[in-house]
Amino acid sequence: MKKILFLILASLLIGGCSYKERNEFQEKLAARLATDEDLKDYNLDPNEVAECVTSEIAKTLPGFRGTPARKPYWEAYASFEASRNTEEAFSAVKKAANVFGSEKKASAAALSITEYIMHCMGKLIESGTPASGSNTSE
């Protein structure tokens, strides 16, 4: 019993390294979303959207939460988010090709960030309260 408890504790401590990369991606995304006009128009919190996007991406990654296997994926997503121009984006995709298996898959992963943003915005708009002045009880 003690061995099992030790193994679980050890795996959690070792797996904690991917949280740093996950948080780095989430922070970069939230910073970019803070200037997004659509979020402002819908009164959405950039941190909530970034948290939702990060959670959605996490569902697609191999392994379970906190495993070291996820670290290169989070690093790649952070790199995609840090890209500010086309040249940097192409470079980030090329570097991430070995993580995702090909440049095409890495490119799809980079583009999926926008899809997740749109999905999460819709999800948060749906779950939010109606704008003042609208009457939904009729």
Side-chain angles (χ1 to χ4, degrees), residues 1-129:
M1 184 68 176
K2 287 183 181 181
K3 287 182 181 179
I4 293 172
L5 184 60
F6 174 75
L7 290 174
I8 292 171
L9 181 60
S11 68
L12 290 174
L13 290 174
I14 292 170
C17 64
S18 69
Y19 289 118
K20 176 185 165 203
E21 288 77 16
R22 177 187 169 127
N23 290 339
E24 181 183 339
F25 166 74
Q26 188 170 328
E27 288 170 7
K28 286 180 180 183
L29 181 60
R32 178 172 64 96
L33 292 174
T35 62
D36 189 288
E37 289 299 319
D38 289 332
L39 267 68
K40 290 177 185 175
D41 290 345
Y42 287 102
N43 296 321
L44 296 175
D45 180 5
N47 293 314
E48 284 183 39
V49 176
E51 183 178 338
C52 175
V53 170
T54 303
S55 295
E56 292 295 320
I57 290 172
K59 292 176 187 177
T60 68
L61 299 182
F64 57 90
R65 186 176 180 174
T67 60
R70 290 184 167 204
K71 182 179 177 179
Y73 290 92
W74 287 121
E75 288 173 341
Y77 276 106
S79 176
F80 298 152
E81 194 53 41
S83 302
R84 294 291 169 223
N85 59 46
T86 306
E87 203 171 298
E88 289 176 1
F90 283 134
S91 176
V93 166
K94 284 184 181 191
K95 287 179 185 176
N98 63 340
V99 173
F100 290 96
S102 70
E103 281 188 33
K104 185 175 181 178
K105 289 179 182 178
S107 180
L111 294 172
S112 73
I113 296 171
T114 302
E115 292 174 28
Y116 287 122
I117 291 169
M118 299 306 291
H119 169 77
C120 288
M121 284 177 63
K123 194 168 147 178
L124 291 170
I125 289 168
E126 256 182 37
S127 69
T129 57

